[in-house]
Amino acid sequence: AAGIDVDRYGGIVVDSRLCSTAPAGNVFAAGDVLGRPFLASTGTAQGLASVNAMFGQGDGATSRVCDVDDPSCFEGGASQAGVSFDPASRAANPF
């Protein structure tokens, strides 16, 4: 009814900005509703990327301030995994 497509497993279909197929283009998805992997770290990174995309922060990725080799680095509440997340990689989820 909302015009949001799902894949054969029931996961919401999104583009590289994690935007769904809703006609208005204003419904984003992140985390378990996209399908595997069902990991908190993945959902957090997807959430950060989709919020950045919603508010026009580039393509959904965040700019890097942390040293990528420092696992203790946190930036804006997101760990290294969240900062370096590529939204396109979750949009084409092979699982």
Side-chain angles (χ1 to χ4, degrees):
I4 298 173
D5 294 336
V6 295
D7 62 21
R8 65 184 180 148
Y9 300 107
I12 295 175
V13 175
V14 294
D15 62 15
S16 64
R17 298 179 317 121
L18 296 170
C19 185
S20 73
T21 57
N26 61 353
V27 178
F28 290 77
D32 291 357
V33 299
L34 297 182
R36 294 180 186 268
F38 301 119
L39 301 170
S41 58
T42 301
T44 300
Q46 291 170 343
L48 179 62
S50 63
V51 168
N52 285 331
M54 284 181 230
F55 293 101
Q57 301 295 319
D59 63 359
T62 58
S63 60
R64 229 174 271 229
V65 175
C66 290
D67 176 0
V68 296
D69 296 321
D70 180 5
S72 65
C73 180
F74 282 79
E75 181 179 275
S79 71
Q80 229 174 340
V83 172
S84 63
F85 177 70
D86 175 14
S89 69
R90 290 283 54 92
N93 190 341
F95 299 103

